Each structure stands twice: as structure tokens, then as C-alpha cells.
Amino acid sequence: TMEQQVGAFEEGLNPEQAAVVRHGKGPLLVNAGAGTGKTGALVRRVARLVADGAEPERILAVTFSKKAADEMNDRLRELGVARARVGTFHSLALNTIMREVPALKGYDVDDRDRYHGVVKDALGFRGIDWKAADLTVVSNWIGRCKAQPHRAGTDGAKLFAEAFHAQRPCQQRDPGLLAAAYAAAEEMRVSRRLLTFDDMLVELAEL
């Protein structure tokens, strides 16, 4: 029976973990510390959903670390579920945008922080000549700007630069220079066909 099937996925779990596996439709928040069995409960929940008739391809599980995603995929394979999508925010974003945005084909993923060098080049690009700029401050601001997400040259980026400067007014946070450096860096990044981890999330959000 269906009740027996669900019971099999709950075997060996404590009552809180079993509630995660058994939960029906609608949102569910699982709030627990490290080492309390969240991953195991979520894996069995996915397996239970598939056993109930859900299509594995329509299940999406997102984690923060590759290690956790690999562990969940391994456990799901052991339970006979191989086609559910488990990955990090960035890996799932990359897979999606590469499939859906043809213009990004051929871009290199910036896994060695080459964008830091792009920003450095941008600070002296086309008359910006921001000799006193702190490369780390500018790079971090661009990353925070993309996280909003605000594209270079948008009103959102301009307002974000002004708010950043207002927090601690100083030459290192000059709004006009921040916006100009961001625009120049993005022009260089696109010409070099580079895709940062921040860009993956920006592209996915826009998609």
C-alpha cells in the first residue's frame, strides 16, 4: 500500500525527520543545525515523491556546496533515483543559461578570479585613471551590485553606487567612478568572453 511505501522511507528516522519525508503539498521549513540529518531526510523525501509518481526531472534540489550536492546525488542513486536535479545554485544556473541563452556559448567560466584582473585594467581604462582606487573595494562593490542584480549602466547600478558611498563617504567610494569602472569592466569581460559566478546568477534572474 501507499502507507507501507511511505513507511519504508521513514525507517530509522526520528519523528522530525519522518515528518519531512511524509509532508504533503505546500511549503515546509526544516530548521536544524549541522549533523542533525537534514540531508538524509531531504534525500528520502525526494525518493518518496518519485515513488508517489512525481517525475524525477521535475524535482529540483538546490544546495550551497558541491560536496553536499554530490552527496545527495550519490544517496539518490543508491535509492534508485538518478534523474532528479540536485546541484549548487551556480551549477544549476550555469546549466540553465547555457541551454537557454545561445549568446553565452563559448564563454569561459571564471574559476580563477580573472575578473579581478579585468577590474584592475578597467580602473585605468578610457580616461578613468582612478589611481587611488582600492581594487578590492571596487571588485567587492561590483559583486554586490550584481547580486541585486543591477547591470552596468543601469539606474539601479547608479543608485546602488550612491547608497554605497553614503554609507561611508570617501574617494574610494566615488559613485561616478564606481559606475564607470563597472561599465568598463563589463565591456572588457564580454569582449574576453568571461562568465563569473555572479554573472551566472544575473543571467538566470533575467531569464
Side-chain angles (χ1 to χ4, degrees):
T1 66
M2 184 65 68
E3 190 69 21
Q4 288 174 321
Q5 280 187 324
V6 172
F9 291 117
E10 296 177 9
E11 187 177 348
L13 301 182
N14 63 37
E16 289 79 12
Q17 292 170 317
V20 173
V21 175
R22 184 178 288 267
H23 181 72
K25 293 182 179 180
L28 172 69
L29 171 66
V30 181
N31 186 11
T36 53
K38 296 186 300 297
T39 299
L42 290 171
V43 165
R44 292 208 202 182
R45 174 167 176 73
V46 171
R48 197 272 294 173
L49 288 169
V50 173
D52 285 355
E55 298 176 35
E57 296 87 350
R58 294 180 64 83
I59 294 175
L60 174 64
V62 186
T63 73
F64 285 101
S65 73
K66 183 178 184 302
K67 180 181 178 182
D70 290 343
E71 180 184 349
M72 288 183 71
N73 280 313
D74 289 343
R75 291 196 199 181
L76 282 169
R77 278 190 288 270
E78 290 171 4
L79 293 171
V81 180
R83 299 194 311 279
R85 293 175 295 169
V86 182
T88 64
F89 287 93
H90 291 97
S91 68
L92 292 166
L94 181 62
N95 289 340
T96 303
I97 63 176
M98 285 301 177
R99 184 176 65 247
E100 301 291 340
V101 187
L104 294 177
K105 292 252 188 330
Y107 271 60
D108 289 331
V109 173
D110 183 16
D111 55 2
R112 296 190 303 278
D113 200 16
R114 284 175 283 171
Y115 191 69
H116 204 68
V118 171
V119 175
K120 183 178 180 180
D121 291 343
L123 293 178
F125 183 60
R126 291 191 181 173
I128 295 176
D129 196 22
W130 193 5
K131 292 186 175 66
D134 185 318
L135 179 58
T136 301
V137 169
V138 178
S139 294
N140 288 346
W141 175 78
I142 291 175
R144 289 173 60 185
C145 200
K146 288 184 178 184
Q148 292 308 306
H150 298 310
R151 289 276 197 187
T154 63
D155 289 340
K158 179 183 176 184
L159 291 172
F160 196 67
E162 291 171 355
F164 183 68
H165 179 263
Q167 290 170 1
R168 196 185 311 147
C170 66
Q171 205 273 339
Q172 295 288 357
R173 292 167 171 247
D174 184 302
L177 291 174
L178 283 172
Y182 184 16
E186 284 300 280
E187 185 176 329
M188 287 181 178
R189 178 186 68 80
V190 171
S191 70
R192 298 176 190 183
R193 301 178 71 78
L194 194 64
L195 193 69
T196 71
F197 286 89
D198 290 327
D199 295 321
M200 295 176 195
L201 302 184
V202 172
E203 293 287 349
L204 184 67
E206 291 189 353
L207 184 63

